[in-house]
């Protein structure tokens, strides 16, 4: 039987990001071991770095998450780079996660 081991306060944001005429709903936040983002409409969720300004790592993670997807983002390096930078900045502004 599954049991809750620990509980943590949730620090997340839901944002709509536009780039090159397209709009993306993104849920992003911090968790106890780092950060994440999800694109619910695109069925993509990504583990990200929670460190300030870790743009390069987060860009790579987004590229990997969209590789092989039928969505137009899989080959759109410019948009994925812009999204990674915006999401990283949003995550940076969130408070750290602490236990209840």
């Amino acid at each position: 039987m599954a049991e809750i081991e620990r509980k943590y306060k949730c620090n997340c944001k839901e944002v709509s990001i536009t780039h090159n005429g397209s709009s993306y709903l993104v849920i992003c936040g911090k968790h106890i071991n780092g950060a994440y983002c999800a694109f619910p409409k695109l069925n993509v969720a990504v583990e990200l770095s929670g460190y300030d300004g870790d743009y390069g790592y987060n860009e790579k993670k987004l590229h990997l998450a969209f590789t092989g997807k039928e969505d137009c983002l899989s080959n759109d390096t410019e948009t994925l780079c812009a999204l990674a930078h915006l999401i990283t900045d949003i995550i940076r502004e969130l408070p750290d996660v602490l236990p209840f």
Side-chain angles (χ1 to χ4, degrees):
M1 180 173 175
E3 297 178 12
I4 295 173
E5 185 176 325
R6 292 185 194 101
K7 294 181 183 180
Y8 300 94
K9 293 180 181 177
C10 179
N11 295 320
C12 65
K13 294 273 183 175
E14 182 174 336
V15 296
S16 179
I17 298 174
T18 59
H19 188 290
N20 285 342
S22 294
S23 181
Y24 305 94
L25 173 65
V26 182
I27 300 168
C28 54
K30 288 184 178 179
H31 59 81
I32 197 67
N33 293 316
Y36 66 91
C37 74
F39 298 77
K41 194 168 189 171
L42 304 176
N43 295 317
V44 172
V46 185
E47 183 85 14
L48 299 174
S49 171
Y51 293 114
D52 288 352
D54 206 348
Y55 301 109
Y57 178 84
N58 290 344
E59 283 179 45
K60 289 177 188 175
K61 295 295 282 192
L62 280 176
H63 282 286
L64 287 172
F66 280 100
T67 298
K69 294 277 184 181
E70 294 179 17
D71 183 82
C72 62
L73 280 178
S74 61
N75 295 316
D76 189 346
T77 303
E78 178 191 338
T79 298
L80 285 174
C81 179
L83 289 172
H85 281 249
L86 284 171
I87 291 166
T88 301
D89 288 342
I90 292 166
I91 289 168
R92 181 180 57 212
E93 295 172 4
L94 293 170
D96 290 332
V97 176
L98 300 171
F100 278 48

